[in-house]
Every structure is written in structure tokens, then in C-alpha cells.
Amino acid sequence: MDTKEFREQAHKMVDWMADYLENIEQYPVKSGVKPREIYDQIEMLPPSEAQAMEQIFGDFEEKIIPGITHWQHPNFHAYFPGNNSYPSVLAEMLTSTIGAQCMIWDTSPAAAELEEKMMEWLRHLLGLPANWTGVIQDSASSATLASILTAREKYSEGDINTKGFEGYTNFRIYCSEETHSSIDKAVKIAGIGINNLVKIGTDAEMAMQPELLREAIKQDIEKGYKPLCVVATLGTTGTTAIDPLEAIAGICREHGVWLHIDAAYAGTALALEEYRWMIKGIEHADSFVFNPHKWMFTNFDCSAYYVKDKQALLNTFEILPEYLRTKVDQQVNNYRDWGIPLGRRFRALKLWFVMRSYGVSGIRSRLREHLTITKQLASKMTEHPAFELLAPVNFNMLCFRHKPEGMPEEELDTHNEELLQLLNNSGKVYMTHTRIKGNYALRMAIGQTYVQQKHIDNAWELIQKTAFSLKTV
Ligand SMILES: *Cc1c(COP(=O)(O)O)cnc(C)c1O
């Protein structure tokens, strides 16, 4: 392909992109293909001869699109959203065109310096402590792993990186029963051992009970363990529960325990003053992560990781082979030393585009709209005699079930499982489920970039109609 053809194709594809996003509601939200259906349509081997872009693109539309679940559909309510937005997509086009490898300052100074500035913008937007330092990671999972590794190295003063675990076989890490699976994963990879991850019980609102944490730490110390790290969650994945940070931070401080805050989803809400109470006590924590790639209109991947002690992070990850040495190492941020991979994409550009194109007020008003339409639907469900909310509505997510009059408790799970299946098969909405204190709940996140009142009105109609159509005897 030459530049002339690239130009023609790119123009056509930009038109396709605009059409796709404009008409996205015509697609079924969740792909309905069967396992192997896509795989079996793709040739066994790469073509030996060049193929025309028309042909390749034709196959994209015909064979790939049917197997896509449309995350940018306004009625995508599953998991948590993975938002993009027009300005973010434009920035990603430029990023991939430039194709820079942004591992060190030298390999693209603008990428490193824009990243530094964007992390300051976000820190300000969320009201994080002014003396904390941020870096973009690919995902919250990587950020949490980086945090646990840093806690480990800070405590052992680099011993484990140097000599291995000898003499350090008694670490304990704590999180609530509702914590995201990425904490389990990080504990395994960090060599702590999953049996040393202590899951602390939660209260009626699914938030960690600090008294139970205090007790667990006390007992572990008596048994000779070293409590290394606590992970507190603001906005758990199951129900968006909020762990009581201030109390947890107090306990960590008392025992010299590292505190990591996982706000992967709900951290974005800190852009709103009315949510700042969640981070009271953060000055006693050590690290914080949130994902602009979830609820801040920025394409995956873009995870913002903040640390109080920047040097501890660098000490954990720093490498300096001769071929990566440069003359400016002392004056600049070489982000290869701030996380696990060496290679890095230029991810700050999309944040810059998004924050400038929306403006802070634009971001805030979009978030408030999401929160308002969620609250309205929550009231409708509460008032409805046959629907029930199963968790507090802290942000823009509802956990609910249909509870027809007279249906025995033991039939409710199956009934609601069937309801979810029918809703998702309709192609009009996509939701997922969770279990709350043993009960099956539908889980509806209302945070897609362009979701509006009308989409939620339609979804609520559909939920009621579908629920009533199910046999209840
Ligand atoms: C989504 C989520 C994660 C994982 O995020 P990734 O960026 O996909 O690794 C971790 N913790 C919480 C609370 C989440 O909601």
C-alpha cells in the first residue's frame, strides 16, 4: 500500500467509523455468535499473495463485526463500561500513526512530558494529594501488582529483588471479600502466596469492616506474620461498595502497613466534589489507581496510578542496561522504570484530547447525568412492588432482581437468571450479574459515554415487559 491508497482508505474508514458510532443502536449490543463461529470462517493460513484492502475490509464487515459486542452502544450496561469518545478516538488515530515507542524520555520527549502533565491534571481533577506522583499503566491489574511489589521491596529494602525470598516467608496481605480478582492475581505473581491473602468480611453495604481488619492484623502479628499491605476498594466490582478509607488508613498507619487504594471504576467520581469524602485519610495511604478507560471517555488502555513515595517505585523497577543510558537520565522521567513493561504506547495524548475537548465542566456534567438517570431508575425500581434493589446505589450502577409476588425465595435465582438471559438475547440491552449475600442479582451499569434518559426509559420498559412475560407459577 502506498500513501495515495492509504489516504483514500483512511478517508473511507473514517466515514465508516462515524457511521458506526452514529448508527450503533442498530446492532445487537451483545454478539450472538456461537463458539468457533468466527474462527472457522478465517482461512487456515495467511495468504501467499497480497490482497486488496476492499477485500480485507469486506471481510471485516462480514466476518468480524457479527462477532463484536458493542461496548459503545448506549445500552451496554454489562461489567463496567469501557468508554471511548470522539476526541479519544481521534487521539488514538494520531498515536497509532506516529507509532512511537515511549519507553524512555529520549524515545519521544513529548510523550514523557505530556504524560507527566496529564497525571498532574488528573490529580487535580480528582483532588488527590498534591505531593503524589502519577504514571499511566496499561491496566489497574498492573498498577496493583506494581503497588504490591513496591510494598514488598520497600519493606525488604530491595532484598527480595536481589536475593529472593529467603528470610521473608511470612507476609500477609488484606482486602475485603468483595475485592477485585486482580488482587488475588497480584498476590500470586508477587510471590506472596494466595494463602497469605486474607479476605476481610463486609457489612450490610458490602464494604470492608475495619474492626475485622484490625482483629485479623492483630492475630497475624501474634502468630508471627508480617502484615505487608492492605488493599481498600472505592467502588467494588460486584456492587460498587465503598470501603471506609479513613478507618482503614488509621489501622495501616498504626501497624506500618502499606495501603493501596483500588478505585479502578469509581475513582472518576472524585471529579465531583460531592464524592471527595471517599478519600478522607488518603494522605496516610501509599498508592491509588483509577481507570480513565472505564468511566472517563478515554479508550482502553489508560490506567492512572499514583504513588506517595516515587523513589520506592523506582527502586523496585529500575534497570539501567548500557544501551538504555542517556545523558538526560537525571533530569527527566524514564517511564520504563515506573512499571513492568519496557515498551509503552503514547497514552497521554488521548487524555489531553479528552480533557480539553470536554473541559472539566463537560466531564462533570456528563458524570452527573449518568448519576441522575441511575438514581431515577433506582427510585422506579424501589417503588415497583415486583422489583427490588439488592445493594445501595453509590454511583451509576444498579443491582436488582425481579421478585414477583408469591414466588418462593428458592425460585428467585433461577427466575432472575432466566430474565437476564432473555434480556441479553433481545440484543437491545446487555447486563451481567453478581451474587449479593448469596442472592442472584442483575447488574446494570449506566455509564456509556453517550447514554441518555431515553435509553434507560427503553431499558426499563424492556425489563418490566420481559419480567412479566416469564412464567411465575
Ligand atoms: C475493572 C476493575 C479492575 C481491573 O481493571 P483492569 O484495568 O482491567 O485491570 C480492578 N479493580 C476494580 C475495582 C475494577 O472495577
Side-chain angles (χ1 to χ4, degrees), residues 80 139-141 180 182 233 235-237 262 264-265 291 293-294 300 303:
F80 282 136
S139 64
S141 304
H180 191 263
S182 57
T233 308
T236 58
T237 311
D262 177 4
Y265 180 63
N291 285 346
H293 70 226
K294 276 182 170 162
F300 188 86
S303 195

Side-chain angles (χ1 to χ4, degrees), residues 383-455:
E383 282 158 23
H384 199 295
F387 284 90
E388 179 180 40
L389 290 176
L390 293 179
V393 181
N394 292 328
F395 304 96
N396 54 342
M397 202 190 47
L398 303 175
C399 295
F400 69 95
R401 65 177 175 177
H402 182 227
K403 195 179 178 189
E405 206 193 327
M407 180 174 281
E409 189 68 32
E410 64 273 14
E411 287 172 28
L412 286 175
D413 283 5
T414 327
H415 175 74
N416 279 280
E417 230 172 289
E418 256 175 78
L419 172 60
L420 179 65
Q421 194 70 45
L422 282 178
L423 285 170
N424 289 344
N425 288 348
S426 78
K428 296 199 167 71
V429 295
Y430 180 23
M431 299 177 204
T432 43
H433 78 279
T434 189
R435 274 191 186 273
I436 302 176
K437 307 281 178 200
N439 294 318
Y440 188 95
L442 281 76
R443 204 178 150 284
M444 181 178 188
I446 303 177
Q448 203 283 322
T449 308
Y450 299 109
V451 63
Q452 292 165 26
Q453 182 73 55
K454 64 175 182 190
H455 302 112

Side-chain angles (χ1 to χ4, degrees), residues 20 24-25 27-31 68-84 265 293-295 370 396-397 424 427-432 443-452 455-456 459:
Y20 170 77
I24 198 159
E25 289 174 52
Y27 295 94
V29 192
K30 183 180 192 296
S31 169
I68 293 293
T69 290
H70 300 282
W71 282 66
Q72 307 313 320
H73 191 301
N75 283 113
F76 182 97
H77 305 301
Y79 309 101
F80 282 136
N83 280 335
N84 70 19
Y265 180 63
H293 70 226
K294 276 182 170 162
W295 190 24
H370 289 168
N396 54 342
M397 202 190 47
N424 289 344
K428 296 199 167 71
V429 295
Y430 180 23
M431 299 177 204
T432 43
R443 204 178 150 284
M444 181 178 188
I446 303 177
Q448 203 283 322
T449 308
Y450 299 109
V451 63
Q452 292 165 26
H455 302 112
I456 299 310

Side-chain angles (χ1 to χ4, degrees), residues 152-428:
R152 192 190 80 179
E153 290 314 298
K154 190 170 179 176
Y155 176 75
S156 76
E157 299 180 345
D159 267 6
I160 298 175
N161 267 354
T162 315
K163 299 187 291 195
F165 275 94
E166 204 185 328
Y168 299 98
T169 53
N170 60 346
F171 289 133
R172 289 287 223 192
I173 295 188
Y174 309 81
C175 62
S176 92
E177 288 164 348
E178 292 293 315
T179 309
H180 191 263
S181 55
S182 57
I183 290 50
D184 299 53
K185 209 188 228 180
V187 167
K188 287 197 219 174
I189 300 171
I192 310 290
I194 198 73
N195 291 347
N196 293 312
L197 177 62
V198 183
K199 301 258 171 120
I200 306 296
T202 55
D203 61 16
E205 304 206 327
M206 322 292 282
M208 189 194 288
Q209 296 198 49
E211 319 78 60
L212 297 183
L213 173 67
R214 179 187 297 283
E215 192 51 35
I217 289 180
K218 189 171 146 249
Q219 284 186 12
D220 277 350
I221 292 173
E222 280 166 13
K223 287 186 211 145
Y225 287 111
K226 162 61 196 162
L228 181 69
C229 168
V230 173
V231 180
T233 308
L234 306 178
T236 58
T237 311
T239 68
T240 62
I242 304 168
D243 287 343
L245 185 64
E246 202 179 12
I248 294 169
I251 297 166
C252 289
R253 205 171 156 212
E254 232 172 87
H255 296 284
V257 178
W258 179 277
L259 175 56
H260 173 59
I261 303 169
D262 177 4
Y265 180 63
T268 302
L270 292 167
L272 306 174
E273 283 290 340
E274 59 269 32
Y275 279 96
R276 291 281 168 82
W277 61 267
M278 293 195 298
I279 49 167
K280 196 150 181 276
I282 192 173
E283 62 280 6
H284 302 306
D286 295 281
S287 57
F288 172 96
V289 64
F290 96 102
N291 285 346
H293 70 226
K294 276 182 170 162
W295 190 24
M296 219 191 91
F297 323 123
T298 307
N299 280 72
F300 188 86
D301 53 338
C302 186
S303 195
Y305 177 55
Y306 286 88
V307 294
K308 182 158 67 182
D309 182 351
K310 177 181 115 181
Q311 200 50 49
L313 177 69
L314 299 187
N315 290 346
T316 304
F317 292 107
E318 209 157 36
I319 40 144
L320 198 51
E322 189 52 42
Y323 54 84
L324 288 178
R325 276 178 209 273
T326 69
K327 293 204 163 56
V328 293
D329 284 345
Q330 296 312 310
Q331 303 159 48
V332 300
N333 288 342
N334 287 320
Y335 286 117
R336 61 141 201 261
D337 288 334
W338 296 55
I340 294 153
L342 169 64
R344 315 177 81 244
R345 301 177 65 236
F346 182 11
R347 288 172 295 211
L349 192 70
K350 56 193 168 189
L351 277 174
W352 197 41
F353 273 42
V354 167
M355 282 192 271
R356 294 180 65 181
S357 177
Y358 276 83
V360 169
S361 65
I363 292 173
R364 288 189 172 137
S365 63
R366 198 77 274 265
L367 299 179
R368 287 211 174 92
E369 267 179 74
H370 289 168
L371 293 161
T372 306
I373 46 184
T374 307
K375 218 174 272 167
Q376 284 169 357
L377 180 54
S379 318
K380 287 180 188 165
M381 286 189 180
T382 310
E383 282 158 23
H384 199 295
F387 284 90
E388 179 180 40
L389 290 176
L390 293 179
V393 181
N394 292 328
F395 304 96
N396 54 342
M397 202 190 47
L398 303 175
C399 295
F400 69 95
R401 65 177 175 177
H402 182 227
K403 195 179 178 189
E405 206 193 327
M407 180 174 281
E409 189 68 32
E410 64 273 14
E411 287 172 28
L412 286 175
D413 283 5
T414 327
H415 175 74
N416 279 280
E417 230 172 289
E418 256 175 78
L419 172 60
L420 179 65
Q421 194 70 45
L422 282 178
L423 285 170
N424 289 344
N425 288 348
S426 78
K428 296 199 167 71

